[in-house]
Amino acid sequence: MRSRTIPLREVHVWELPVRIYHWINALCIVSLCITGYIIGNPPAFMKGTEAYFNFWFGTVRFIHFVSAFLFFFNFIFRIYWGFTGNEFSRWYNFIPLKRCQWKEILDVIKVDVLQVTSKRIDSIGHNSLASLVYFITFLIFLLQCLTGFGMYGAMSSAFLPRLFGWVVPFLGGDMNVRQIHHLLMWGFILFALVHIYLVFYHDYIERRGVTSSMIGGWKFIEEDVIERHENKTEECPKG
Amino acid sequence: MKNQNPTFYEEVRGNGVSRRDFLKFCTTMAAFLGLEASGVAQIAKALQSKPRLPVIWFHFQECTCCSESFIRASHPIVANIVLDKISLDYQETLMAASGFQAEDAYKAVMQKFPGEYIVMVEGSIPTENEAYCCIGGRSALQILREAVQNCKAVVAWGNCASAGCVQAASPNPTGAKPVHKVISGKPVINVQGCPPIADVMAGVVVHLLTFDRIPQLDGLGRPKAFYSRRVHDTCYRRANFDAGLFVESFDDEGAKRGYCLYKMGCKGPVTYNSCGIIKWNDSVSYPIQSGHPCIGCAEAGFWDNGPFYQHLPGVAGFGVETTADKIGVGLGIATAVGIAGHAIVTNIRKHKEIINEPEEGSNVETTKES
Ligand code: HEM
Ligand code: HEM
Ligand code: SF4
Ligand code: SF4
């Protein structure tokens, strides 16, 4: 048997609300990408029948809209949690306002992306590059909600979609809004590809249990990293 | 000699229109404008009592299809709107005068009715070089700016005057701009379409006459009465859309059965117009009813949103045939290749970390047992 003994401690990084948010978000995105793609390119698999008997395209759109509402409120919740959650989920992780965060971004690029040097990245929650990418992703979430509800406004007189009435004139007409909405779908798909790969990558290399951290909430962190975090002598305190 | 400023009613009665026909017309217009029953009386009263509306109608960079549409309005009385109800003291296509007399005619309107006359514009205005459109030695921009100074409101007919239409399509060699982009301080009513539906044009004029104020406009300056509904939401083929029954080519069975034209590039879902309700040519039909997808003629930039027979436009900078999906798939493949490459490199370069040999400077202790 091969084993190793190293001083590790478990840290509760993702509280239950963050985990629930994450999986609702992931499911919504999968559902929205699939239904959205079908809305953009409906397969014409039915012939020789009358409209009276069918409603499948309407159902696909309905699923898109239900997922969209869920996605939207889930996202709003995450923003709220960025101000009340634990230190790893707070907003300041995501916006690199400090010099050391930019330094860490460079380090991550060198260590994990280009792999030209080897060095341990100390951050316990997200590393600074991951955080920045999540921040950009959040902006894309926002844009997708704006364009989505902007389009939805045309078919609803409900309060929420009406709040987005300014979007269509602002972006220069429905066609542009639709085009942006459709293009952004690919942003989501590319993000998911890279994101899932990187979760596997970090788990493989760092063995802090990052995959299961989004399930159980805990990560294994080296003791010295935790000590420095607690003494505030770490390289890049984010709070 | 006739009354100097006869009312519209006097005019049409003089032309042999019966009172019954007159009231029918008022009712049709009230219906188009979405007014309640009392609106009929309001319109009838306005047309019987108010003097004609002084109008100056300019033609700039355009094809005259708006005028052509207007004079083909479904109700016979609408022809009288053009010729009598609004006094077309200056309308380059229809007026008898020419040369200096014509110029005098519109200057006279500006002097006689300051603050009352309406400026109606067909066509876009060149700004790249004003000389691209000159009338009587003056540029469109100069003429328009002077004319709107004392006007009551501006009506921008059609896509050209409302959004630039084909002249403003990429690369827009004349720097064509719609009316609302070159003037300020006056309300502009954008009566969209290429051309606008004749009855919509008539409806806007009747509204101006009856209520003495501009109709309610949407975010893009279009009268809500006619442009608040999507072609898609008023389309009689909509049931086929929801059922997922699509025309795949113009000669397939679906086309014969009248399936939805979404996959043929129908822009109904992104276009606001009254085609599905008022229809064209005396409400005989409209493009979708005739089996052709909507090309979105009532929307800004519709020429650049082509090809007409494709659901989404090409992506700017990638060519017209390149849709968002082609780019997306390309990037997806590139990303997958990148990921595979990165995974391979990782296994080579990070070999030490993966088998967990202690690294220099790290305090990881490793024990190996077997
Ligand atoms: C469509 C699929 C997915 C999307 C859109 C997605 C999105 C996200 C987002 C936005 C975050 C930032 C969370 C926050 O702090 O609020 C995140 C973090 C995370 N996700 Fe996902 N995720 C997806 C799938 C997955 C999967 C399949 C796994 C694991 C098997 C996973 C594991 C994680 C982990 C471990 C983190 C924390 C990352 C870190 O600490 O660096 N995700 N994800
Ligand atoms: C992950 C997020 C989302 C993705 C990937 C996505 C994707 C798509 C795609 C690809 C289309 C087809 C566009 C076309 O080619 O015509 C679409 C349509 C649409 N989406 Fe989304 N969408 C997302 C979120 C939303 C949200 C939050 C809303 C808000 C209500 C929304 C509302 C709509 C509407 C109204 C349409 C037009 C449907 C129609 O007219 O038939 N989407 N979406
Ligand atoms: S034909 Fe066009 S407007 Fe009519 S339902 Fe289909 S997509 Fe909509
Ligand atoms: S169906 Fe569409 S393209 Fe055709 S006239 Fe109406 S708005 Fe214009």
Side-chain angles (χ1 to χ4, degrees):
Chain A
M1 189 177 86
R2 233 180 119 218
S3 73
R4 66 173 178 156
T5 310
I6 47 166
L8 290 176
R9 264 205 262 162
E10 282 189 289
V11 181
H12 191 56
V13 279
W14 315 125
E15 299 147 291
L16 185 63
V18 173
R19 282 175 279 145
I20 294 179
Y21 151 80
H22 180 270
W23 293 114
I24 291 181
N25 190 44
L27 285 179
C28 283
I29 288 175
V30 170
S31 151
L32 285 163
C33 286
I34 294 173
T35 52
Y37 185 84
I38 295 174
I39 293 170
N41 311 272
F45 53 74
M46 286 194 305
K47 294 243 148 41
T49 170
E50 293 302 323
Y52 180 81
F53 306 107
N54 305 286
F55 195 70
W56 76 262
F57 199 59
T59 309
V60 169
R61 291 172 65 247
F62 180 72
I63 297 171
H64 192 81
F65 303 148
V66 170
S67 314
F69 273 87
L70 190 58
F71 173 80
F72 177 72
F73 286 112
N74 195 44
F75 175 43
I76 299 281
F77 168 77
R78 182 64 185 86
I79 295 171
Y80 161 76
W81 200 254
F83 294 91
T84 48
N86 70 11
E87 54 179 309
F88 305 111
S89 50
R90 289 268 172 149
W91 65 271
Y92 46 69
N93 287 282
F94 297 96
I95 308 172
L97 295 174
K98 292 186 180 178
R99 223 191 159 79
C100 72
Q101 281 171 299
W102 285 103
K103 188 178 168 295
E104 192 177 282
I105 288 176
L106 275 181
D107 283 347
V108 178
I109 291 177
K110 280 193 240 159
V111 174
D112 291 318
V113 183
L114 304 174
Q115 307 192 345
V116 288
T117 54
S118 226
K119 176 187 176 193
R120 192 177 60 195
I121 306 293
D122 278 351
S123 287
I124 297 173
H126 302 305
N127 70 49
S128 296
L129 179 62
S131 305
L132 179 63
V133 171
Y134 294 139
F135 181 60
I136 294 168
T137 322
F138 289 151
L139 293 181
I140 295 180
F141 287 7
L142 180 69
L143 214 67
Q144 196 71 334
C145 290
L146 290 180
T147 52
F149 279 108
M151 282 192 280
Y152 193 76
M155 44 186 126
S156 166
S157 51
F159 173 71
L160 181 69
R162 274 219 319 261
L163 292 181
F164 295 84
W166 55 273
V167 176
V168 170
F170 180 74
L171 291 176
D174 277 70
M175 196 72 217
N176 291 351
V177 173
R178 203 166 255 265
Q179 177 84 327
I180 294 169
H181 195 74
H182 195 114
L183 272 168
L184 285 180
M185 171 185 72
W186 288 100
F188 281 83
I189 294 174
L190 297 187
F191 168 81
L193 277 176
V194 174
H195 174 68
I196 294 170
Y197 167 70
L198 284 181
V199 172
F200 290 1
Y201 164 85
H202 282 286
D203 214 337
Y204 186 46
I205 300 296
E206 295 170 351
R207 288 208 244 139
R208 287 167 154 187
V210 70
T211 314
S212 59
S213 76
M214 218 15 114
I215 300 168
W218 297 81
K219 265 190 189 178
F220 305 105
I221 304 293
E222 300 79 0
E223 202 140 72
D224 60 309
V225 172
I226 293 174
E227 266 162 30
R228 268 186 281 148
H229 180 71
E230 281 169 351
N231 303 336
K232 302 235 179 291
T233 53
E234 62 195 318
E235 260 187 50
C236 190
K238 290 178 184 143
Chain B
M1 210 184 129
K2 270 212 266 178
N3 180 348
Q4 260 289 297
N5 238 345
T7 69
F8 173 62
Y9 181 65
E10 286 163 6
E11 289 268 347
V12 292
R13 286 307 299 270
N15 288 351
V17 172
S18 70
R19 176 153 182 89
R20 184 185 166 82
D21 277 340
F22 170 74
L23 289 176
K24 269 188 186 160
F25 169 75
C26 296
T27 314
T28 314
M29 279 300 141
F32 284 165
L33 286 167
L35 302 177
E36 39 191 276
S38 64
V40 182
Q42 269 179 293
I43 292 178
K45 190 161 166 243
L47 296 182
Q48 286 178 78
S49 57
K50 291 197 181 158
R52 302 185 308 175
L53 200 60
V55 167
I56 306 176
W57 183 311
F58 290 117
H59 294 252
F60 298 134
Q61 295 190 129
E62 45 83 59
C63 71
T64 314
C65 79
C66 299
S67 294
E68 292 288 346
S69 174
F70 200 15
I71 58 179
R72 278 162 186 72
S74 65
H75 204 281
I77 288 189
V78 177
N80 287 305
I81 293 187
V82 193
L83 302 167
D84 300 312
K85 177 162 100 208
I86 57 178
S87 42
L88 279 174
D89 299 288
Y90 181 84
Q91 213 278 17
E92 284 137 11
T93 308
L94 298 175
M95 66 188 172
S98 65
F100 292 114
Q101 281 172 323
E103 302 286 298
D104 286 346
Y106 92 76
K107 295 216 168 101
V109 176
M110 297 197 305
Q111 275 156 17
K112 261 202 327 221
F113 305 99
E116 281 176 53
Y117 66 93
I118 309 277
V119 172
M120 297 186 173
V121 182
E122 229 180 307
S124 61
I125 297 98
T127 57
E128 148 74 25
N129 180 342
E130 288 181 36
Y132 286 134
C133 181
C134 287
I135 301 161
R138 291 195 310 147
S139 77
L141 197 61
Q142 288 171 329
I143 296 172
L144 180 65
R145 288 214 169 125
E146 183 197 61
V148 299
Q149 246 167 23
N150 288 318
C151 77
K152 186 170 174 189
V154 183
V155 176
W157 290 134
N159 205 312
C160 302
S162 306
C165 204
V166 71
Q167 307 88 287
S170 174
N172 191 357
T174 64
K177 290 218 169 115
V179 173
H180 67 91
K181 290 240 173 92
V182 295
I183 66 162
S184 57
K186 295 287 175 187
V188 179
I189 309 168
N190 288 328
V191 186
Q192 265 283 21
C194 186
I197 301 172
D199 305 85
V200 168
M201 300 174 79
V204 169
V205 171
V206 168
H207 188 286
L208 284 172
L209 238 155
T210 308
F211 300 106
D212 267 335
R213 56 182 150 79
I214 60 164
Q216 258 200 330
L217 305 178
D218 70 5
L220 296 167
R222 302 176 292 194
K224 277 192 180 166
F226 301 107
Y227 296 93
S228 61
R229 277 154 298 183
R230 281 193 304 170
V231 172
H232 187 54
D233 293 330
T234 50
C235 178
Y236 78 104
R237 298 194 184 210
R238 178 58 186 265
N240 293 283
F241 173 85
D242 289 326
L245 297 171
F246 301 108
V247 175
E248 293 271 328
S249 77
F250 285 120
D251 55 359
D252 71 359
E253 200 202 329
K256 264 182 246 150
R257 283 177 176 261
Y259 286 176
C260 166
L261 294 157
Y262 187 70
K263 296 189 77 178
M264 303 309 293
C266 184
K267 304 291 186 288
V270 291
T271 305
Y272 294 77
N273 204 350
S274 294
C275 296
I277 307 158
I278 296 177
K279 301 192 183 174
W280 288 81
N281 304 327
D282 213 353
S283 301
V284 168
S285 179
Y286 73 113
I288 292 169
Q289 193 172 339
S290 311
H292 194 279
C294 170
I295 59 173
C297 77
E299 294 292 320
F302 79 103
W303 294 100
D304 290 333
N305 286 338
F308 288 154
Y309 302 108
Q310 190 171 292
H311 168 58
L312 284 182
V315 178
F318 290 86
V320 287
E321 296 290 331
T322 317
T323 57
D325 288 340
K326 280 194 192 151
I327 295 173
V329 169
L331 288 175
I333 292 172
T335 309
V337 170
I339 288 175
H342 191 268
I344 293 166
V345 173
T346 300
N347 278 292
I348 298 166
R349 305 220 39 167
K350 302 250 166 180
H351 186 68
K352 231 167 58 177
E353 279 163 69
I354 295 162
I355 61 165
N356 244 303
E357 298 283 315
E359 273 174 43
E360 271 178 86
S362 84
N363 61 347
V364 177
E365 295 166 27
T366 316
T367 51
K368 265 191 187 160
E369 291 165 23
S370 39

